[in-house]
């Protein structure tokens, strides 16, 4: 790996201070190539907090694609089942999101939030803004569905379900 | 039938450990036309050479092949030995049995067979060799130095002091280059102007130096020892033979707001101007782009002011030709501006400066008379951040190399700042501190330990302005990547040193190579650092790569010695490996049909037109002729000639054909 | 002028006002939007994070449908969708990936659709008409917020300049507004963490709003529904993290221009914002 530890990625990362290891430190851990450090990386919250905002990539002198690396590390962490507690709500959200897309072809926001709440048992969250969202016409009570929903089933079956990375 | 002598060298064990040298000598000895073949432990040794000399005489050899190391190594040795024995040296060839065979193969039957083939090829070639004479060309003992920075100044003085004439061409109105812009210099902190100005004056007064300022090279023709340089003297609009340099015109010129190049844009100058008080020559030029008269046709205040009538409105650029024998390129470098950095504000923040701008602030002759003040509001910055490697070591920005000087000048800047602003706080963001050089590391340590400059290891991601402060978002990687945010009053970027603008075009005019970043390329990275790959053109200073003053001066003196060595000859001797167009007896004269395909092909402009005239002077034909001084023996023309009239001496089609056929005839 | 249109899920749900303003503005500028038939969700960050093939297949289906419909250029107002579509198109230049995705979709896919964002659409097809049709100059000092998805990765999107983009600023100046030079134009608002890590969104969006407020912006202008909802809908959570609550509204570029062209606030969906818009 070409990273020369200049730290510019960390200097500009909006969530570096919330991460167990800021991005440049993470790169160094990976660079050592040891299993021990890889485990540290996979079990860290850094990979889950990364927003893929690409501030780091945009400024890295060595053009190191940290966000892409994070994509890989997340997949790997799920595969090896080494998940930092911070990953729970994030994964739950993504799964609920994808469930909605799988079933309707589009995002059904009420469905998403309900399913998310069941996954996280966090029933109180966002209760405060839901009514005004409804009043402002921002929530559909019924999901919008695309016609060719079979294609959605097929796409999901051949990709994410095929990869068996998502075990509910 | 030919009488060839073949000498196979063991090269200690370098060759004999993998090649059966005795078998090689034995088998070659049996070849047709080989009169004598032996092997010996060290052919290049005195006894080895004696074997060759004696064999030439004893067997009346008309050709010699030495199977040994690379011809780069010992071809001159063996050719000299042959010449001493009375054989034309160009009848001696080498087969490279070391680099091309023993070093790259295992010991085996095939390796020996390959060695035999290599020698065989040379034997067949030598049979077709013709005696050649080396080429002699006269030397014009006058040097052209392009660029009047410290490199050009030093090279000019050194050459001039050997008694040879120098023509120094400088693009700007004054010589001095970047060194004239510097405040104090690392690692001694002596004043740059104070040590430079005497040398500038010496250049102006030296009887052997002819100085052309406000001038540029238009074209260069010719070859080592014999160049013709066309130089454009840009119109200064001031007659230097009458101008007294009183400066009255400058005082009165109403166009006063032009950003001063000398002050790196931090100060202003007038349209008629002398770039700085110590300029050499200390006489003004009119910047026609900004002058009211040239722009709108009215003003001429300077003319009215001038007591001696020196203003010349209608002068045009003048092109002069100078004949020189050698050229020293000393056009220096440039630095990236702050606008090169999106993350540091695209150059829109006034208090984000380049290192060069900081030099002007710190300089007694600068816009603030040496006080460190913010360009935006004139306040003295209490917190200052220096960012090292700005743009350098940054492949994403297209500059992967280290600019070499900025670690040192950044330490100097922080030190100067601490000396001038006692209650100030300075921080340097760096990746590595590169302080290799005599007293350099000690200098940096002094900045850190005695002047309490805060060194933080990490790059800065972003600088932005808020409420008159510059927010610097950096990191301390030595603390495991802790973010460091500083509210600074001024930010100084140690911006990358880059090739001077126009260096690519200049290189093309001179036929010298340049690297991917447009710095001129040296002929060999270790052993020929001041030579270019064009004979007679040398390099000095930062035009080859960013470097500091001591290194620049050393290199300039090196280039000067090369020029002096060249000028110590009245004639130059060159290998006769050049192209020739065949000549035949009348009425044929030559098989050349005068299509001049070779002329279009030749990268060195070596093909000339030769008119063949009858006795009465009438033109019979025009055919090609090779200027042996220009020809580099590249052979391009040979491939282009359809009538096979042009050939490279020593590597004729016939010789190469014989080599190849010796392999096929097995 | 006819152009393909991919609204995306947000625009039909929680960000209806963006859709309304895009449609109203397009109409006012004589741009006819042709919606892609039976479009699906682009998969957003969720697919991207969870599975690469899925994250390519979903946008690929959208583009394949548009190609089938004979569209050559599609405007994608949602910055997240725009980013996913552009990046997918780039990734699918790889032969192997393309073959695999076509196999999954069972649809032909060429990959030559021109994907543009709303700013590009306005620059290319609206600039002249905007200039002549301004009836109520937008005389406000605003902060143009681009977010990350609209401009990064620059090597693929090739849109505007990095760090300090200008296209939205230019549009605002064109309708009589003044724009701020500020620091958070392209810093991330927290994007997909709106529900899962509202705390982080509050922190990041709070930083953004604070800088805009410190420089006395009258409004923040956006071109992304994620940015808008984080800065607007999450204002309650944001203000809890700040010393002084911030009440500057966050509106879409299409709403700002719509106002300047005299389109009604209701038509532009301005009533749907959480933070009251009085401009
Ligand atoms: C901010 C800064 C601080 C520095 N501080 C120090 C220090 O403290 N100590 C130290 O040792 N070094 C220092 N240096 C390095 C020093 O400036 C260089 O080593 C030195 O200037 C190199 O000299 P040069 O003659 O090769 O090039 P330059 O100084 O660049 O001179 C080149 C000259 O050639 C002329 N020229 C260019 N193109 C043409 C052309 N086509 N035709 C004719 N003329 C041309 C230019 O006008 C110029 O006069 C510093 C550099 C910088 C940028
Ligand atoms: S910016 Fe790039 S090179 Fe620097 S530490 Fe981060 S990943 Fe490594
Ligand atoms: S992409 Fe991830 S690591 Fe990079 S700056 Fe954004 S949040 Fe930080
Ligand atoms: S003519 Fe030009 S140079 Fe002379 S005073 Fe006027 S502006 Fe200055
Ligand atoms: S006033 Fe005349 S003599 Fe004096 S500097 Fe100007 S041109 Fe030269
Ligand atoms: S000299 Fe120092 S500051 Fe300059 S590029 Fe090299 S390492 Fe960076
Ligand atoms: S050998 Fe090369 S340099 Fe010489 S004349 Fe031919 S093309 Fe020109």
């Amino acid at each position: 790996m070409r990273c020369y530890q200049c730290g510019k990625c960390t200097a500009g990362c909006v969530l570096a201070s919330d991460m167990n290891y800021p991005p440049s430190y993470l790169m160094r851990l990976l660079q050592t190539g040891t299993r021990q450090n890889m485990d540290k990386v996979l079990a860290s919250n850094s990979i889950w907090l990364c927003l893929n905002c690409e501030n780091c990539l945009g400024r890295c002198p060595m053009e190191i694609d940290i966000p892409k690396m994070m994509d890989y590390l997340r997949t790997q962490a799920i595969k090896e089942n080494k998940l930092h507690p911070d990953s729970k709500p994030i994964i739950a959200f993504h799964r609920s999101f994808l469930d909605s897309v799988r079933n309707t072809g589009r995002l059904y926001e009420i469905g998403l939030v309900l399913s998310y709440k069941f996954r996280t048992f966090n029933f109180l969250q966002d209760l405060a803004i839901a009514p005004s969202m409804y009043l402002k016409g921002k929530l559909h009570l019924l999901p919008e569905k695309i016609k060719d929903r079979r294609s959605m089933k097929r796409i999901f079956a051949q990709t994410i379900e095929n990869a068996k990375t998502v075990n509910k | 039938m030919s009488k060839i002598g073949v000498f196979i060298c063991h090269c200690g064990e370098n060759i004999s450990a993998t090649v059966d040298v005795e078998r090689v000598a034995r088998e070659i000895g049996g070849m047709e036309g080989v009169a004598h073949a032996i092997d010996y432990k060290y052919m290049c040794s005195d006894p080895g050479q004696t074997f060759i000399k004696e064999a030439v005489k004893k067997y009346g050899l008309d050709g010699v092949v030495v199977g040994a190391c690379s011809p780069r190594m010992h071809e001159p040795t063996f050719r000299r030995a042959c010449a001493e024995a009375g054989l034309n040296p160009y009848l001696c060839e080498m087969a490279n049995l070391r680099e091309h065979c023993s070093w790259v193969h295992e010991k085996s039957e095939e390796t020996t067979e390959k060695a035999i083939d290599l020698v065989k090829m040379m034997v067949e070639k030598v049979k077709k060799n013709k005696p050649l004479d080396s080429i002699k060309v006269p030397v014009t003992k006058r040097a052209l130095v392009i660029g009047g920075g410290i490199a050009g100044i030093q090279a000019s003085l050194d050459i001039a002091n050997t008694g040879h004439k120098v023509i120094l061409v400088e693009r700007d109105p004054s010589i001095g280059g970047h060194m004239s812009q510097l405040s104090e210099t690392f690692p001694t902190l002596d004043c740059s102007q104070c040590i430079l100005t005497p040398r500038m004056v010496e250049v102006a007064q030296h009887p052997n130096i002819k100085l052309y300022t406000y001038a540029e090279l238009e074209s260069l023709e010719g070859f080592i020892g014999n160049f013709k340089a066309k130089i454009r003297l840009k119109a200064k609009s001031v007659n230097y033979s009458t101008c007294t340099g009183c400066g009255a015109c400058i005082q009165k010129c109403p166009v006063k707001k032009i950003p001063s190049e000398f002050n790196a844009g931090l100060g202003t100058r007038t349209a008629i101007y002398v770039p700085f008080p110590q300029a050499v020559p200390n006489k003004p030029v009119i910047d026609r782009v900004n002058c009211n008269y040239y722009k709108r046709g009215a003003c001429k205040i300077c003319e009215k002011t001038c007591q001696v009538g020196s203003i010349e409105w209608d002068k045009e650029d003048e092109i002069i030709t100078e004949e020189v024998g050698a050229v020293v390129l000393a056009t220096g470098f440039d630095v990236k501006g702050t606008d090169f950095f999106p993350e540091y504000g695209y150059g829109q923040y006034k208090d984000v400066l380049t290192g060069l701008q900081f030099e002007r602030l710190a300089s007694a002759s600068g816009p603030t008379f040496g006080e460190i003040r913010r360009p935006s509001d004139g306040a003295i910055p209490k917190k200052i951040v220096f960012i090292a490697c700005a743009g350098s070591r940054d492949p994403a920005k297209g500059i992967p190399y280290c600019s070499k000087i900025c670690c040192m000048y950044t330490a100097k800047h922080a030190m100067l700042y601490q000396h001038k602003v006692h209650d100030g706080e300075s921080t340097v963001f760096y990746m590595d501190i590169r302080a290799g050089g005599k007293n350099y590391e000690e200098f940096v340590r002094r900045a850190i330990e005695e002047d309490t400059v805060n060194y933080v290891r990490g790059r800065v991601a972003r600088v932005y302005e808020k409420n008159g402060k510059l927010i610097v978002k950096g990191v301390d990687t030595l603390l495991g990547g802790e973010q460091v945010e500083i509210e600074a009053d001024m930010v100084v970027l140690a911006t990358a040193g880059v090739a001077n603008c126009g260096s690519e075009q200049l290189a093309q005019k001179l036929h010298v190579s340049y690297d991917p970043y447009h710095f001129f390329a040296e002929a060999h990275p270790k052993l020929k650092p001041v030579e270019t790959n064009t004979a007679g053109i040398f390099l000095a200073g930062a035009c080859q790569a960013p470097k500091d003053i001591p290194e620049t001066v050393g290199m300039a003196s090196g280039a000067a010695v090369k020029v002096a060595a060249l000028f110590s000859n009245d004639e130059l001797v060159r290998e006769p490996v050049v192209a020739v167009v065949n000549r035949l007896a009348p009425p044929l004269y030559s098989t050349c049909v005068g299509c001049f395909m070779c002329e279009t092909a030749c990268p060195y402009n070596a093909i000339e037109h030769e008119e063949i005239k009858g006795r009465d002077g009438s033109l019979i034909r025009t055919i090609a002729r090779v200027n042996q001084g220009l020809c580099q023996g590249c052979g391009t023309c040979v491939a282009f000639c359809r009538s096979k009239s042009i050939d490279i001496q020593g590597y004729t089609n016939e010789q190469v054909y014989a080599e190849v056929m010796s392999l096929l005839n097995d | 002028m006819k152009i393909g249109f991919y609204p995306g899920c947000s625009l039909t749900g929680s960000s209806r006002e963006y859709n309304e303003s895009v449609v109203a503005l397009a109409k006012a500028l004589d741009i006819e939007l042709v919606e892609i038939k039976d479009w699906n969700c682009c998969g957003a960050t969720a697919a991207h994070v969870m599975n690469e093939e899925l994250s390519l297949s979903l946008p690929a289906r959208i583009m394949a449908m548009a190609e089938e419909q004979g569209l050559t250029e599609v405007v994608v107002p949602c910055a997240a969708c725009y980013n996913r579509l552009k990046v997918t198109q780039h990734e699918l230049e790889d032969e192997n990936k393309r073959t695999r995705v076509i196999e999954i979709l069972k649809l032909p896919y060429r990959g030559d659709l021109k994907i543009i964002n709303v700013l590009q659409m306005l620059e290319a097809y609206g600039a002249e008409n905007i200039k002549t049709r301004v009836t109520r100059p937008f005389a406000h000092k605003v902060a143009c917020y681009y977010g990350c998805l609209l401009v990064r990765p620059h090597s693929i999107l090739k849109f505007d300049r990095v760090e300090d983009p200008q296209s939205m600023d230019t549009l605002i100046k064109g309708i009589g507004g003044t724009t701020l030079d500020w620091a958070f134009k392209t810093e991330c608002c927290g994007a997909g963490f709106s529900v899962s890590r509202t705390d982080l969104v509050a922190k990041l969006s709070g930083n953004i709003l604070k800088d805009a407020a410190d420089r006395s912006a009258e409004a923040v202008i956006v071109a992304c529904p994620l940015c808008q909802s984080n800065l607007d809908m999450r204002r309650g959570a944001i203000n809890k993290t700040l010393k002084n609550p911030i009440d500057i509204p966050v509106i879409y570029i299409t709403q700002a221009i719509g106002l300047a062209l005299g389109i009604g606030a209701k038509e532009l969906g301005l009533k749907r914002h959480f933070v009251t818009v009085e401009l």
Side-chain angles (χ1 to χ4, degrees), chain B residues 338-644:
Chain B
T338 50
D339 56 347
F340 184 63
F341 301 90
E343 70 274 42
Y344 306 145
Y346 279 111
Q348 64 185 322
Y349 306 135
K350 280 194 176 142
D351 300 327
V352 175
L353 305 177
T354 65
L356 196 57
Q357 289 174 317
F358 189 84
E359 291 284 345
R360 295 314 302 144
L361 285 187
S363 169
S365 70
T368 54
F369 309 103
E371 285 185 34
I372 309 296
R373 289 183 177 277
R374 305 196 336 157
S376 63
D377 56 6
I380 292 176
K382 292 291 173 207
K383 249 190 207 173
I384 186 162
V385 167
F386 296 92
I387 302 180
C389 300
S392 307
R393 305 174 68 193
D394 193 334
K397 286 194 161 59
I399 307 178
Y401 57 84
C402 161
S403 294
K404 199 172 183 190
I405 50 176
C406 16
C407 270
M408 288 306 295
Y409 76 60
T410 296
K412 172 183 79 176
H413 289 170
M415 207 184 247
L416 290 178
Y417 169 75
Q418 293 295 7
H419 293 176
K420 287 173 190 261
V421 185
H422 296 292
D423 57 344
E425 243 178 71
S426 55
T427 304
V428 174
F429 283 97
Y430 73 100
M431 291 211 291
D432 301 281
I433 303 174
R434 301 196 164 161
K438 193 166 171 173
N439 291 324
Y440 283 16
E441 174 65 11
E442 296 92 315
F443 182 81
V444 176
R445 292 313 307 172
R446 222 166 78 212
I448 298 172
E449 291 164 18
E450 287 171 29
D451 298 307
T452 62
V453 179
N454 178 26
Y455 268 70
V456 179
R457 195 201 172 278
R459 267 196 195 251
V460 170
R462 184 89 156 88
V463 174
Y464 61 84
E465 202 167 49
K466 194 162 182 181
N467 302 329
K469 295 274 182 192
L470 292 162
I471 315 294
V472 179
K473 295 195 142 207
V475 64
D476 189 332
T477 58
L478 300 181
L479 293 177
E482 199 173 282
Q483 291 183 328
V484 179
E485 190 171 306
I486 296 180
E487 276 190 25
D489 301 307
M490 182 181 277
V491 172
V492 181
L493 308 178
T495 61
V498 293
N500 223 328
C501 64
S503 57
E504 194 187 358
Q505 292 84 325
L506 186 60
Q508 286 162 358
K509 274 183 202 163
L510 297 166
H511 295 292
V512 303
S513 345
Y514 46 93
D515 69 16
Y517 315 105
H518 299 176
F519 286 109
F520 302 135
E522 65 279 15
H524 187 280
K526 282 152 226 164
L527 299 179
K528 291 184 174 177
V530 301
E531 290 93 329
T532 65
N533 56 0
T534 302
I537 302 184
F538 304 97
L539 301 176
C543 61
Q544 179 258 355
K547 49 176 63 69
D548 58 26
I549 298 164
E551 228 189 310
T552 297
V553 171
M555 189 174 181
S557 292
V561 169
K562 295 281 170 189
V563 171
L566 174 62
F567 289 176
S568 69
N569 303 295
D570 294 325
E571 284 184 326
L572 292 178
V573 178
R574 287 191 51 208
E575 288 274 290
V577 181
V578 291
V580 279
V581 177
N582 66 27
R583 293 302 302 267
L584 305 167
L588 274 172
Y589 301 102
S590 169
T591 56
C592 170
V593 294
C595 68
F596 292 107
M597 290 295 286
C598 51
E599 186 179 19
T600 49
C602 177
Y604 299 95
N605 300 324
I607 304 285
E608 296 172 347
H609 291 216
E610 179 177 12
E611 297 186 338
I612 295 182
K613 289 188 176 147
R615 254 172 234 207
D616 55 352
S618 64
L619 180 65
I620 300 175
R621 266 169 68 198
T622 306
I623 63 168
R625 180 178 58 200
V626 177
N627 179 325
Q628 299 203 323
L630 287 178
C631 174
Q632 302 290 316
C634 71
T636 312
C637 52
V638 179
F640 271 75
C641 179
R642 282 185 259 173
S643 63
K644 302 211 183 324

Side-chain angles (χ1 to χ4, degrees), chain B residues 238 242-250 272 284 302 305-311:
Chain B
V238 173
T242 55
C243 169
T244 61
C246 71
C249 52
I250 300 170
I272 186 164
C302 48
T305 317
C306 181
Q307 303 272 313
V308 291
S310 288
I311 309 290

Side-chain angles (χ1 to χ4, degrees), chain B residues 241-395:
Chain B
S241 49
T242 55
C243 169
T244 61
C246 71
C249 52
I250 300 170
Q251 299 289 327
K252 289 275 153 50
C253 175
V255 186
K256 296 195 190 303
K257 289 255 146 62
I258 307 163
S260 149
E261 295 83 359
F262 179 72
N263 280 323
L266 291 184
T268 55
R269 63 161 171 85
T270 44
I272 186 164
Y273 74 109
V274 173
F276 54 100
Q278 301 86 338
V280 168
N282 207 328
K283 292 179 185 180
V285 298
I286 296 182
D287 162 8
R288 293 189 174 189
V289 178
N290 287 302
C291 160
N292 276 343
Y293 174 69
Y294 288 104
K295 265 189 356 201
R296 308 199 194 93
C299 178
K300 292 203 175 182
I301 292 174
C302 48
E303 185 176 41
K304 280 165 223 139
T305 317
C306 181
Q307 303 272 313
V308 291
S310 288
I311 309 290
E312 305 175 317
W313 299 113
D314 303 326
K315 260 289 212 241
E316 309 245 316
D317 287 5
E318 198 185 324
I319 307 238
I320 56 162
T321 306
E322 293 277 5
E323 289 187 0
V324 295
V327 181
V328 177
L329 265 174
T331 50
F333 71 121
D334 203 354
V335 290
K336 279 280 178 207
T338 50
D339 56 347
F340 184 63
F341 301 90
E343 70 274 42
Y344 306 145
Y346 279 111
Q348 64 185 322
Y349 306 135
K350 280 194 176 142
D351 300 327
V352 175
L353 305 177
T354 65
L356 196 57
Q357 289 174 317
F358 189 84
E359 291 284 345
R360 295 314 302 144
L361 285 187
S363 169
S365 70
T368 54
F369 309 103
E371 285 185 34
I372 309 296
R373 289 183 177 277
R374 305 196 336 157
S376 63
D377 56 6
I380 292 176
K382 292 291 173 207
K383 249 190 207 173
I384 186 162
V385 167
F386 296 92
I387 302 180
C389 300
S392 307
R393 305 174 68 193
D394 193 334

